[in-house]
Amino acid sequence: MMMPKWFDKSLQRSNEQNLDDLRRSLALAAQAYGSEHTARTAFGHAASHYRSLLAAGAGEGLNALVASFGAALVDRAILDAVCHTQKMSFATAIQNNVPGIDATLTPDLREFAFAAFLDALLPVSTIAVRHTVGLLDPLASSDVAARPDDDLPVALDEVIARYGHRHFKLKLAGDGAQDFERLAQIAAVLDTLPQYAVTLDGNEQFDFVEAVHDLWRAADAEPRLARLSSATLYLEQPLPRELALSADVHELARFKPLVIDESDATFDAFPLARRLGYAGVSSKSCKGIYKSLVNAARCSNSINTGSAFITGEDLTAQAGLALQQDLALVGLLGVTHVERNGHHYVDGFTGQDAPRDEQAAFQHAHPDLYETTVRGTRLVIRNGMIALGSIGCSGFASGAIPAIESLAPMKTAAVPIT
């Protein structure tokens, strides 16, 4: 479920070219880590290759998000191996700083007490699912023109009825009139709930700060949006990444806290965003587990006086290792709700064409996380919540592994990168 246009939104590159870029990123990381002959901690390996992989990626036309993708996967594999070797869970390994996380990549945290911070992290037993409502998603059953060949809910009201969601992420188009009317339509559905919380995702669609101001002003003056506006927690990445880390947003942030997502491409991005007026930063496994952890450290640092925060944003994490490792990460960071729609897009393990024995192995190892239906094994969401107890097992959040023999080798890039 690689979503290439999140990493690189350039119209000059096709989806297939973007996918090849991600494959190339992984190949570069595998080559760099695989040729390493120096004994290092898990984080030490990540830190030693960070800058050289950014440079290698840039040399092949890969932006920083794409260039970091391969290392993010390799770092997770290494940490999984370390956890298994030490017979400990991900949470225990992080609490004891087994990876050896330090300020090598974050000079602003040179005096920070990493050991005390990590030791104080406590994994949560459950986490709320924040359901993403896309720009074209139907809101009511009557709006569904055609249904997929499965029994999954499609419209927003059906999703709420099936899963009991109370947290929602609403996509914005960057068009004031269109966004205004769309939010009013969504509010008509959500206002039937006794309570709910909302986050907004600008998705880099607003060309300038004043356009976001205009939307806030219109929303505040609209009675139909009164409850939705008060339930909105923050606005994520409204400005394009080319502008986000150069435009001052302090005045805009007076309306709602602002979060960087796509702009969090390097280890030094969040401190820069903070100086411009942003309060939050997203955690995404595809950006790297160590980046999430050091950004969480920044949020806890007394210099930030408690106003900074980290969020869980990962739309397409699918059942299995991707889902479980991301849940373990955000669950340890203290995030209380996480964006999660991949179970719809991929239909659990079934949409991945995972063998039945693999599905059974994951369901057996994580009975609180998955259930087996006539169609296959799927993620369990009850009362809008996911149970995380079973991912506290030895290793990086998984008591089962994919059926390796069923997997195909990653193909090499078919389209030139530069």
Side-chain angles (χ1 to χ4, degrees):
M1 279 299 288
M2 293 188 293
M3 300 300 287
K5 283 304 176 188
W6 179 82
F7 290 90
D8 184 350
K9 298 180 182 178
S10 168
L11 298 178
Q12 283 69 49
R13 296 193 67 71
S14 67
N15 275 353
E16 189 53 42
Q17 287 175 311
N18 288 142
L19 288 168
D20 280 342
D21 292 350
L22 294 175
R23 295 184 183 104
R24 183 58 183 156
S25 175
L26 181 53
L28 288 171
Q31 180 181 29
Y33 283 70
S35 61
E36 177 67 73
H37 297 293
T38 303
R40 306 181 193 274
T41 63
F43 178 76
H45 282 294
S48 68
H49 294 296
Y50 168 68
R51 292 184 178 85
S52 61
L53 284 174
L54 284 181
E60 299 201 18
L62 307 180
N63 68 37
L65 277 179
V66 176
S68 299
F69 172 75
L73 294 182
V74 176
D75 287 337
R76 282 155 58 185
I78 291 174
L79 186 55
D80 182 41
V82 170
C83 289
H84 278 293
T85 300
Q86 299 297 317
K87 296 181 171 57
M88 60 177 57
S89 68
F90 167 76
T92 301
I94 298 301
Q95 288 166 330
N96 290 277
N97 200 13
V98 172
I101 301 169
D102 59 29
T104 301
L105 301 177
T106 51
D108 57 305
L109 295 175
R110 189 174 292 112
E111 305 301 322
F112 184 74
F114 271 105
F117 164 71
L118 297 172
D119 181 61
L121 296 177
L122 295 174
V124 297
S125 59
T126 60
I127 193 167
V129 176
R130 185 154 32 89
H131 178 77
T132 299
V133 183
L135 295 174
L136 301 178
D137 289 351
L139 305 181
S141 298
S142 57
D143 298 331
V144 180
R147 292 185 179 274
D149 184 23
D150 57 38
D151 61 345
L152 293 172
V154 177
L156 176 60
D157 60 356
E158 298 171 349
V159 168
I160 293 171
R162 170 77 71 89
Y163 300 118
H165 291 307
R166 293 296 181 269
H167 292 77
F168 305 89
K169 177 172 177 172
L170 313 181
K171 294 282 188 176
L172 301 177
D175 181 301
Q178 177 183 338
D179 286 328
F180 181 82
E181 187 56 35
R182 177 67 170 173
L183 289 176
Q185 293 170 358
I186 294 173
V189 176
L190 298 186
D191 284 354
T192 63
L193 300 174
Q195 59 184 17
Y196 65 88
V198 160
T199 69
L200 303 178
D201 185 5
N203 228 40
E204 303 187 76
Q205 295 302 303
F206 292 84
D207 293 329
F208 46 89
V209 172
E210 190 57 35
V212 191
H213 270 295
D214 291 343
L215 179 61
W216 281 146
R217 296 187 189 103
D220 282 348
E222 173 55 57
R224 291 181 298 166
L225 293 177
R227 192 173 165 203
L228 187 145
S229 180
S230 65
T232 298
L233 304 177
Y234 55 80
L235 170 61
E236 178 188 348
Q237 192 78 34
L239 302 175
R241 65 192 78 175
E242 295 80 10
L243 175 63
L245 296 185
S246 60
D248 190 294
V249 295
H250 281 92
E251 185 65 24
L252 180 60
R254 292 176 56 192
F255 290 83
K256 295 291 180 181
L258 300 179
V259 171
I260 60 166
D261 181 32
E262 290 93 340
S263 289
D264 178 39
T266 56
F267 272 82
D268 59 353
F270 188 36
L272 173 57
R274 293 282 292 141
R275 292 193 289 272
L276 291 171
Y278 292 87
V281 62
S282 66
S283 172
K284 265 189 169 84
S285 292
C286 62
K287 293 193 295 185
I289 53 176
Y290 297 124
K291 187 188 294 180
S292 292
L293 286 161
V294 299
N295 279 339
R298 286 166 165 149
C299 293
S300 75
N301 199 352
S302 59
I303 295 175
N304 292 315
T305 63
S307 60
F309 60 94
I310 193 163
T311 72
E313 316 292 337
D314 211 335
L315 180 68
T316 59
Q318 63 190 32
L321 297 181
L323 170 73
Q324 292 162 214
Q325 292 180 349
D326 190 69
L327 287 175
L329 175 62
V330 294
L332 187 62
L333 295 178
V335 173
T336 57
H337 51 88
V338 63
E339 177 189 22
R340 197 103 308 167
N341 282 45
H343 58 287
H344 271 297
Y345 300 138
V346 193
D347 191 6
F349 285 89
T350 304
Q352 305 175 49
D353 294 323
R356 286 285 177 164
D357 58 347
E358 177 183 322
Q359 299 187 41
F362 274 88
Q363 198 280 327
H364 177 75
H366 304 283
D368 56 347
L369 196 59
Y370 302 114
E371 62 182 355
T372 298
T373 70
V374 293
R375 289 186 55 87
T377 301
R378 291 172 170 169
L379 176 67
V380 173
I381 302 175
R382 294 193 177 97
N383 298 318
M385 308 291 291
I386 299 175
L388 306 182
S390 68
I391 63 175
C393 56
S394 179
F396 192 172
S398 186
I401 61 172
I404 304 299
E405 68 281 356
S406 72
L407 302 178
M410 184 183 76
K411 71 175 186 176
T412 56
V415 182
I417 292 176
T418 55

